[in-house]
Amino acid sequence: MIFSAEKWNKGAELKALMKVNTAISFDMMEAPLRGAFRQFLIPLLGDAMAGEVIEIYNFGPDPDVLEQNTEGATEREKLDARLLEICKRANANLAFWNDFDEISVRITDAGFQRQKSDNESFQQVYKYQEDNLRMSFRNKGFNALDELLEFLYAHIAEYPEFAISQAYQDRKSAIVRSTADINDVCFIGGSRIIFLRLQPHLKFVEEMLLQPAIGDRLYEHLIDGLVNPPEDEGQRKNVERFRLACSRYIGTMAVRRLLMETGSITDRGLYFTTIRSGEKGNEQKEPVDTKRVAVQIQNLKVDADMYMTALLRIARSYFADYYAGDPRRIFDRDNDRKRTFWI
């Protein structure tokens, strides 16, 4: 784990990452922090990289000392400090989100009890504040995981342990790699939760729509170029240019499918929930106006068609040896000076 009783310092270790009172004890947070680390960070990092992060936490430079003496720190020490800060921020926020109810109650032999402060100036938060806190912890935690992936992907040479993780292997061969690729065509606020919701749609569009459109040979060449980047810089740029073009088409169609399925893109964009006081809580789900959804679905289809035209243009220009032609134009024919013609 990347938190410990030795470094807790009356909550100061946690306070450096989020707004908490120094009275918060390690005994109360140990189980949530450990659970979040095992549930979210280890599967993402892989066992080898998770072990490296723990090693940095136990034997790396003190973050407070490093912050005060950045000029004397090596480049690797700065990278390690940045990596550890991102991991701890994700770990802390996801721990509070995942164990929100358990943290706010006391479980004893007498059952479940709500904790009250002896200080009368502090009272339990309102229900809407609890809802907002849950959402804040969730968004900050998952967004930190996205930031962690971007950091490790950019510094894979310094952290080769991450190269053997499943997350790295999946991302390396993926056409749509991160929330940034989706934000490029439809703003989702960098939400990893929405990105995860899009995964089945991204896979469907890639396999059932993109691959037939560009042909198996070009598709396999693209994936091979992503997994094993060409040594020539110009070819690498062409592969990345084509990946981005394909990513825009896949992302647009995936978002369109999600809209058709759920009527929502994200709770930060097209709202499908409202906050109202009620007997059973403050959050109430309501359907979005069907006309507005229909307009967005239609616009996304138009955008996707234009992205398809753009990516096929790139395929003809830079991958002519692998591109077999646009299957949508299979029946196009010049009828001039021919006894038969297509109609």
Side-chain angles (χ1 to χ4, degrees):
M1 195 169 70
I2 51 178
F3 291 90
S4 64
E6 294 76 19
K7 298 184 180 182
W8 191 252
N9 191 21
K10 297 181 179 180
E13 185 179 21
L14 191 60
K15 191 175 182 181
L17 305 167
M18 57 200 309
K19 188 179 182 301
V20 295
N21 192 286
T22 54
I24 192 168
S25 68
F26 180 74
D27 289 339
M28 185 186 75
M29 291 303 303
E30 180 179 9
L33 289 168
R34 188 183 303 278
F37 185 75
R38 290 176 175 173
Q39 185 174 348
F40 297 103
L41 270 77
I42 290 180
L44 185 72
L45 296 172
D47 292 336
M49 190 62 217
E52 176 67 14
V53 172
I54 295 174
E55 193 83 2
I56 294 171
Y57 174 75
N58 290 328
F59 304 105
D62 188 312
D64 295 332
V65 176
L66 189 64
E67 186 176 356
Q68 297 172 4
N69 186 27
T70 54
E71 295 181 358
T74 64
E75 190 63 29
R76 180 54 189 265
E77 287 177 336
K78 293 178 181 178
L79 288 176
D80 287 350
R82 177 63 177 156
L83 171 63
L84 186 59
E85 187 274 333
I86 299 173
C87 289
K88 294 181 74 171
R89 178 153 40 88
N91 195 171
N93 279 283
L94 290 173
F96 275 101
W97 170 67
N98 198 43
D99 288 81
F100 189 90
D101 292 324
E102 289 87 342
I103 292 172
S104 59
V105 300
R106 185 174 61 179
I107 305 175
T108 68
D109 292 342
F112 298 88
Q113 301 171 340
R114 188 176 60 145
Q115 296 176 332
K116 283 189 176 181
S117 174
D118 295 334
N119 189 337
E120 294 182 357
S121 62
F122 291 95
Q123 298 178 354
Q124 294 293 316
V125 298
Y126 293 108
K127 183 66 168 62
Y128 78 91
Q129 291 175 313
E130 288 188 355
D131 295 338
N132 291 339
L133 281 171
R134 282 191 178 94
M135 185 181 299
S136 176
F137 291 142
R138 181 193 66 178
N139 292 338
K140 290 178 181 177
F142 280 107
N143 289 348
L145 292 183
D146 260 352
E147 185 181 351
L148 177 60
L149 287 175
E150 294 294 336
F151 176 87
L152 289 172
Y153 198 79
H155 299 93
I156 191 64
E158 289 80 8
Y159 302 102
E161 297 86 356
F162 185 62
I164 62 176
S165 69
Q166 188 63 45
Y168 179 78
Q169 297 299 325
D170 292 342
R171 179 187 170 108
K172 192 175 181 181
S173 62
I175 297 177
V176 182
R177 292 180 167 175
S178 66
T179 56
D181 288 339
I182 301 298
N183 271 337
D184 192 31
V185 295
C186 181
F187 181 70
I188 61 172
S191 172
R192 182 165 180 79
I193 294 175
I194 303 303
F195 184 71
L196 293 174
R197 288 179 62 191
L198 283 168
Q199 287 305 304
H201 300 295
L202 293 171
K203 183 178 181 181
F204 179 89
V205 174
E206 179 178 335
E207 295 180 353
M208 300 301 170
L209 299 180
L210 176 71
Q211 186 173 352
I214 65 177
D216 293 342
R217 192 158 177 257
L218 179 54
Y219 176 79
E220 292 171 0
H221 178 71
L222 171 61
I223 300 301
D224 182 66
L226 297 177
V227 177
N228 304 299
E231 295 183 1
D232 182 73
E233 183 178 357
Q235 293 181 5
R236 285 201 306 272
K237 289 183 178 179
N238 290 340
V239 169
E240 180 63 13
R241 180 185 291 113
F242 190 45
R243 181 193 75 81
L244 289 174
C246 293
S247 172
R248 294 186 181 105
Y249 171 76
I250 295 173
T252 304
M253 288 299 292
V255 170
R256 182 174 183 267
R257 284 174 56 86
L258 182 63
L259 266 178
M260 295 173 67
E261 179 183 277
T262 67
S264 67
I265 301 175
T266 164
D267 53 2
R268 302 183 198 179
L270 181 63
Y271 279 88
F272 68 107
T273 60
T274 56
I275 304 298
R276 295 180 180 176
S277 60
E279 295 180 358
K280 298 182 180 180
N282 299 310
E283 190 176 88
Q284 295 183 357
K285 293 185 179 181
E286 293 183 354
V288 180
D289 181 72
T290 54
K291 292 183 180 180
R292 184 176 179 182
V293 175
V295 169
Q296 290 208 5
I297 290 174
Q298 182 179 1
N299 290 341
L300 287 168
K301 181 62 171 66
V302 173
D303 293 347
D305 290 341
M306 290 189 287
Y307 284 132
M308 175 59 74
T309 301
L311 74 87
L312 292 178
R313 188 185 307 119
I314 294 175
R316 289 192 298 269
S317 300
Y318 298 99
F319 302 95
D321 294 340
Y322 297 92
Y323 179 56
D326 185 353
R328 298 177 302 176
R329 305 183 65 87
I330 190 172
F331 293 109
D332 288 2
R333 179 191 180 199
D334 184 1
N335 292 318
D336 293 344
R337 296 182 294 278
K338 292 185 174 62
R339 300 178 63 125
T340 60
F341 60 90
W342 296 108
I343 57 173

